[in-house]
């Protein structure tokens, strides 16, 4: 699920931890005219229109999944709601791949992962070596790209107007931490995309159903004869390359090496000097490429099956 406009002033941070979205909204919120908003809206598709009252609306690209469609619905709903309160809100939607920091490195797309790993390894130390490269997960440029909206929605507003903007977007500030929740137009957008909030009991039941399904999917993947055989071959290859293997379960093998390294990173890995980070990056590149080659056949079989039976680990 995409993240709307992270890092903007005031209460926008909490509002933007939600996913985004599009079309059903136009009928509910006043329709749209045929004028193009060109690049006013920011999304992977770049296509946008405006409603009759001037709110920017992103056009849903063909072929996107349900989560991405809901992202468009949510963002567009926020834009319409904010316009009704006298504010401009530029909707922003990223594809799942763009939003996933490690999409380029996970190995689902072998060629893409090889290109990434040859220069950045698993990406952990590359940010210190290439701080201005937005394609590196932990670089300064990537952090800025993720947390700074590329719009001018609040330019020219006074402090009082910015406060009013944030309240319109996220609702009034909570009096206590226990009362904190997203409101305002962000909640309007969430409801447009996902429907009214469930009761506590219904949400608990829904969460249990998701957990049960996830557990069942994990059992199916780990019991798949082809994946079990390929995971064993993957593990043997890693061992032969001097890389320790902590599990041979398919659901664990897919990212085992990368996650194992992440658990041993020094606390200051993002703030290392280039000179200190470079030898660590070179070592990381070597391990990352060995992992990629050893797991090529396994990942080619695993990811299509995992898409059919999505699994996110027992603890999410």
């Amino acid at each position: 699920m995409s993240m709307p406009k992270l890092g903007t002033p005031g209460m926008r941070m909490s509002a933007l931890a939600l996913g985004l979205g599009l079309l059903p909204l136009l009928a509910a919120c006043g329709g749209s005219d045929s004028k193009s908003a060109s690049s006013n809206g920011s999304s992977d598709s770049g296509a946008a229109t405006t409603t009759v009252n001037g709110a920017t609306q992103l056009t849903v690209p063909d072929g996107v999944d349900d989560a991405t469609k809901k992202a468009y619905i949510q963002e567009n709903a926020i834009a319409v709601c904010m316009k009704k309160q006298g504010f401009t809100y530029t909707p922003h939607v990223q594809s799942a791949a763009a939003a996933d920091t490690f999409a380029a490195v996970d190995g689902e797309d072998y060629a893409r992962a090889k290109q990434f790993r040859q220069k950045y390894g698993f990406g952990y130390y590359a940010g210190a070596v290439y701080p201005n490269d937005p394609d590196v997960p932990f670089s300064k440029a990537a952090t800025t790209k993720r947390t700074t909206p590329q719009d001018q929605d609040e330019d020219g507003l006074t402090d009082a107007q910015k406060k009013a903007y944030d309240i319109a977007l996220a609702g009034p500030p909570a009096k206590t931490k226990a009362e904190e929740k997203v409101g305002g137009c962000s909640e309007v957008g969430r409801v447009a995309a996902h429907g009214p909030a469930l009761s506590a009991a219904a949400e608990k039941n829904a969460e249990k159903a998701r957990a049960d399904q996830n557990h069942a999917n994990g059992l199916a993947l780990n019991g798949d004869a082809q994946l079990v055989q390929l995971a064993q071959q993957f593990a043997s290859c890693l061992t032969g390359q001097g890389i320790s293997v902590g599990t041979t379960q398919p659901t664990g093998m897919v990212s085992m090496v990368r996650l194992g390294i992440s658990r041993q990173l020094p606390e200051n890995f993002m703030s290392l000097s280039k000179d200190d980070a470079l030898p660590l990056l070179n070592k990381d590149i070597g391990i990352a490429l060995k992992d990629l080659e050893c797991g090529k056949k396994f990942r080619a079989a695993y990811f299509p099956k995992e898409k059919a039976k999505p699994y996110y680990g027992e603890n999410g």
Side-chain angles (χ1 to χ4, degrees), residues 106-256:
D106 67 8
E108 180 174 1
D109 183 331
Y110 170 81
R112 184 184 181 197
K114 185 172 183 178
Q115 183 179 33
F116 183 97
R117 294 188 188 200
Q118 283 175 330
K119 184 175 182 180
Y120 305 127
F122 286 118
Y124 297 120
Y125 297 107
V129 178
Y130 304 105
N132 298 317
D133 189 335
D135 293 330
V136 181
F138 299 103
S139 69
K140 290 180 180 178
T143 300
T144 299
K145 183 178 179 181
R146 288 194 303 271
T147 59
T148 304
Q150 301 301 309
D151 59 50
Q152 293 78 44
D153 291 350
E154 295 182 71
D155 287 2
L157 298 183
T158 65
D159 289 343
Q161 288 171 330
K162 288 180 180 179
K163 183 177 180 180
Y165 185 104
D166 289 337
I167 290 174
L169 179 61
K175 294 180 180 179
T176 66
K177 190 169 184 65
E179 295 176 341
E180 285 184 353
K181 63 180 181 179
V182 174
C185 289
S186 293
E187 175 62 7
V188 170
R190 189 201 66 76
V191 171
H194 303 283
L198 299 175
S199 67
E203 181 56 44
K204 184 176 181 179
N205 289 337
E207 179 57 35
K208 183 179 185 304
R210 288 191 292 268
D212 289 346
Q213 185 60 62
N214 182 67
H215 180 69
N217 288 350
L219 290 176
L221 291 169
N222 289 328
D224 184 285
Q226 180 194 24
L227 294 182
V228 169
Q229 181 181 21
L230 290 173
Q232 292 285 351
Q233 295 172 2
F234 184 6
S236 296
C237 180
L238 289 175
T239 302
Q241 294 285 349
I243 299 173
S244 61
V245 174
T247 180
T248 57
Q249 285 194 325
T251 56
M253 285 292 295
V254 65
S255 298
M256 181 193 63

Side-chain angles (χ1 to χ4, degrees), residues 101-102 105 115-143 261 265-266 268-285 288:
T101 304
F102 287 99
V105 71
Q115 183 179 33
F116 183 97
R117 294 188 188 200
Q118 283 175 330
K119 184 175 182 180
Y120 305 127
F122 286 118
Y124 297 120
Y125 297 107
V129 178
Y130 304 105
N132 298 317
D133 189 335
D135 293 330
V136 181
F138 299 103
S139 69
K140 290 180 180 178
T143 300
I261 287 176
L265 292 169
N268 67 334
F269 78 96
M270 288 191 291
S271 58
L272 292 170
S273 69
K274 182 175 181 178
D275 288 343
D276 288 339
L278 188 56
L280 296 172
L281 172 59
N282 288 333
K283 180 180 178 181
D284 196 46
I285 289 171

